[in-house]
Amino acid sequence: MKEDILHNLKLINTRIKNACEKAGRNPGEVKLLLATKTVSAERIKFALENGQALIAENKVQELKEKYEDLKEIFHTNHFIGHLQTNKIKDILKYDVTCVQSLDRLELAEKLHQRLLTENKTLEVLIQVNTSNEESKFGIDPSEAIELTKKIAEFSTLKIKGLMTIGLFSAETEKVRPCFKILKNLQQEIIHENIPNVTMNELSMGMSGDLETAIEEGATIVRVGTAVFGARIYPDSYYWNEENNNARE
């Protein structure tokens, strides 16, 4: 199993490097995020001990369960699932440094209130529903700039970029328009020059379409099954609000 993880990491990093070279980009511009839903702490730790540093969970419960086993090894922890307001306290308690799935003002307000109480700040990405699918969370692209402006007023929230899941399709060219929408939004927001907003990060692209995402400007690609193997649950397990939804 460990040999498989090492082999898979090598393959993924080679794919990222090759995609960057093809797109005329520096491979150092693209970060590999390991999506660790349903992956044991032991296997995650092995990946961290072998050159990886960025991981993310979809579900707060898994974040809590693995925290003690992983806290002693250096890594950065993001959250990529649909975050319910009653779980905010746990997100902060278990050292999440970035919530990639901020998609509504109510959540931003509750995060801000809690962060003020704890005298903390938090990096966030605005999640955009670029595929117009009802099964996806995320703000509509037409409303993303206005939401960004409102969230930027909260001093505790540091907006670092955008995130999208993209269309669920094995045909990468059908997914490309989703990535183009996110890239165009990034450029529009940069042009707006909104205080407290930097648009350095575009989190998009997964195991099957990371090359396309990199061509369109991704700075973070989310990969899980291509490193850790297939899961016992189907993707649909993560799609609804109760179970969270960020795919990789």
Side-chain angles (χ1 to χ4, degrees):
M1 189 69 73
K2 290 182 177 180
E3 288 181 359
D4 289 343
I5 292 173
L6 284 179
H7 175 72
N8 293 341
L9 283 171
K10 184 177 180 180
L11 288 179
I12 290 294
N13 281 297
T14 298
R15 285 176 60 190
I16 291 171
K17 179 176 178 289
N18 291 342
C20 287
E21 290 177 354
K22 181 181 177 182
R25 298 182 60 192
N26 180 347
E29 296 176 3
V30 180
K31 294 181 280 290
L32 171 59
L33 179 151
L34 298 183
T36 53
K37 62 188 180 190
T38 76
V39 180
S40 70
E42 179 185 9
R43 293 163 72 207
I44 298 168
K45 190 173 182 180
F46 180 75
L48 293 175
E49 290 169 342
N50 285 276
Q52 303 310 299
L54 181 58
I55 64 174
E57 290 290 349
N58 285 68
K59 301 174 75 171
V60 173
Q61 184 60 36
E62 286 197 56
L63 184 69
K64 294 164 66 174
E65 290 170 354
K66 301 170 192 177
Y67 177 74
E68 288 296 325
D69 289 327
L70 298 177
K71 69 178 183 179
E72 298 302 327
I73 184 167
F74 173 79
H75 67 283
T76 301
N77 211 353
H78 287 196
F79 189 79
I80 56 176
H82 184 71
L83 181 59
Q84 297 168 316
T85 55
N86 64 348
K87 301 293 186 180
I88 287 173
K89 181 172 64 174
D90 290 328
I91 287 290
L92 302 181
K93 180 178 179 181
Y94 295 107
D95 297 336
V96 168
T97 62
C98 179
V99 171
Q100 292 198 12
S101 49
L102 183 51
D103 62 356
R104 59 202 189 279
L105 190 59
E106 178 199 13
L107 177 59
E109 289 172 339
K110 295 290 179 62
L111 276 169
H112 175 62
Q113 291 167 7
R114 186 73 197 187
L115 288 161
L116 282 177
T117 301
E118 298 191 17
N119 194 28
K120 293 179 178 178
T121 61
L122 182 69
E123 294 184 358
V124 297
L125 305 185
I126 307 300
Q127 182 177 356
V128 184
N129 185 344
T130 56
S131 63
N132 197 33
E133 293 173 282
E134 291 186 6
S135 63
K136 306 282 179 57
F137 295 104
I139 189 73
D140 187 275
S142 65
E143 301 172 7
I145 295 177
E146 189 60 32
L147 179 65
T148 300
K149 288 178 178 178
K150 290 178 179 177
I151 293 175
E153 295 177 7
F154 298 121
S155 59
T156 60
L157 300 177
K158 308 302 179 183
I159 302 174
K160 297 298 182 180
L162 306 172
M163 184 269 263
T164 196
I165 295 171
L167 185 70
F168 288 160
S169 175
E171 299 179 48
T172 57
E173 287 307 309
K174 289 185 176 180
V175 188
R176 189 184 296 275
C178 299
F179 301 152
K180 285 185 177 293
I181 288 170
L182 204 69
K183 180 64 178 181
N184 289 338
L185 264 177
Q186 178 199 42
Q187 296 307 305
E188 290 180 41
I189 293 171
I190 289 172
H191 183 72
E192 292 280 341
N193 197 28
I194 306 167
N196 194 34
V197 174
T198 58
M199 278 284 123
N200 296 330
E201 304 291 0
L202 286 181
S203 176
M204 59 188 192
M206 285 75 71
S207 301
D209 53 27
L210 65 86
E211 286 88 354
T212 307
I214 289 170
E215 288 173 16
E216 298 301 334
T219 64
I220 300 172
V221 291
R222 306 183 302 270
V223 178
T225 54
V227 170
F228 295 110
R231 302 187 182 91
I232 59 172
Y233 298 113
D235 276 346
S236 58
Y237 177 77
Y238 297 93
W239 287 5
N240 64 54
E241 181 162 355
E242 181 179 352
N243 289 320
N244 302 333
N245 88 312
R247 168 179 170 262
E248 44 56 50

